[in-house]
Amino acid sequence: MDLPREFTVRESGHRIHNPFTGEKLALLGRAVRLRPGTTVLDLACGSGEMLCTWAREHGVAGTGVDISTAFLTGARERAAELGVTGQVRFVHGDASGYVADEPVDVAACLGATWIGGGAAGTAALLERSLRPGGLLLVGEPFWRRDPPDQATVEGCHASAKEDFHDLPGLVGLFGGLGFDVVEMVLADEDSWDRYAAAQWLTVRTWLDANPDDELAPAMRTELDGAPLRHVRYVRPYLGWGVFALKRR
């Protein structure tokens, strides 16, 4: 049970595996008013940057769950680097079936809502681990502009326009599920660039070092098209944000 190897290669230089910068992640922690002792569950936690930095900056404690052994190794190293190994732990497993042993104050899934079959299902999954009155954090894409054709849809890594809502539609979805949207922090074009463009250098560096690897032809093809796809489709059309939700 692990991520496909090409995903690990592509994002091996990332600490944050979505279009958020460290500054955006720090802003989110301040925006939701974290306090020392807050307990956090992070499903599909990737390299654990949210938990590790929030443990250092805000005194939270928590658990991250992810399917990637490589990313979890990085998360544990990051926890040691920041001196928070006593506050956070990382579990290798399928986040789609994970429920905390004890209810937590904050349950999060940032950018991996496929674990619940979409934003609504992921909110329901997270709520199973949440104490009454606790806070959900859901990271999800949305259309910034109406995609004009199927090429744009597919260029934004979707199969159909209906895969994503626009921003009012997404906020309305959460409201319709019985949640108050109490905060949000949105990606911008720069944070999208830091997520996407950093992958190109990582892939090129890997290709230079591994020209005979069996994965090299596929990664070469990906790099040939990724920059143009990003600037033509993702950057102008696709938004992303983290939404803080509380049950009404």
Side-chain angles (χ1 to χ4, degrees):
M1 183 172 59
D2 214 327
L3 276 179
R5 185 162 161 252
E6 57 267 27
F7 194 97
T8 304
V9 169
R10 185 184 304 120
E11 299 199 15
S12 60
H14 286 54
R15 285 180 173 166
I16 301 171
H17 301 281
N18 53 58
F20 250 22
T21 60
E23 292 77 11
K24 293 275 189 184
L25 197 59
L27 173 60
L28 178 64
R30 295 192 301 271
V32 299
R33 305 173 193 177
L34 296 170
R35 292 178 172 81
T38 297
T39 54
V40 180
L41 174 67
D42 186 8
L43 296 186
C45 68
S47 297
E49 187 72 359
M50 184 179 80
L51 274 177
C52 291
T53 56
W54 286 4
R56 181 189 63 180
E57 299 300 326
H58 301 284
V60 309
T63 299
V65 182
D66 203 272
I67 199 172
S68 171
T69 54
F71 292 162
L72 290 177
T73 295
R76 296 183 182 108
E77 291 173 351
R78 184 65 165 154
E81 177 187 356
L82 298 183
V84 296
T85 53
Q87 295 166 249
V88 298
R89 70 184 185 106
F90 295 99
V91 176
H92 179 237
D94 183 358
S96 64
Y98 192 92
V99 177
D101 295 333
E102 298 290 337
V104 299
D105 300 313
V106 178
C109 176
L110 273 55
T113 56
W114 56 82
I115 68 171
T122 299
L125 171 63
L126 291 171
E127 202 168 22
R128 294 172 61 191
S129 296
L130 195 67
R131 67 163 177 80
L135 187 73
L136 298 184
L137 298 176
V138 179
E140 181 74 349
F142 57 86
W143 294 118
R144 293 180 61 197
R145 296 164 57 188
D146 191 47
D149 50 36
Q150 186 63 18
T152 303
V153 169
E154 294 177 6
C156 292
H157 310 289
S159 57
K161 177 182 173 181
E162 293 73 23
D163 289 350
F164 305 138
H165 296 81
D166 62 11
L167 184 54
L170 184 55
V171 171
L173 171 69
F174 293 133
L177 295 172
F179 293 103
D180 287 326
V181 177
V182 296
E183 255 294 0
M184 68 179 189
V185 177
L186 304 184
D188 54 25
E189 290 181 340
D190 179 66
S191 53
W192 263 117
D193 292 347
R194 291 304 86 235
Y195 175 57
Q199 296 174 24
W200 312 334
L201 181 56
T202 297
V203 170
R204 175 55 195 266
T205 301
W206 182 88
L207 284 167
D208 289 345
N210 300 276
D212 300 321
D213 191 283
E214 63 180 5
L215 194 59
M219 301 308 293
R220 177 68 259 177
T221 298
E222 177 180 308
L223 183 58
D224 287 345
L228 183 57
R229 183 171 59 250
H230 174 68
V231 299
R232 177 175 286 168
Y233 300 123
V234 176
R235 202 175 194 269
Y237 286 97
L238 194 61
W240 192 89
V242 180
F243 301 84
L245 314 175
K246 282 180 126 354
R247 175 62 70 185
R248 290 188 186 127

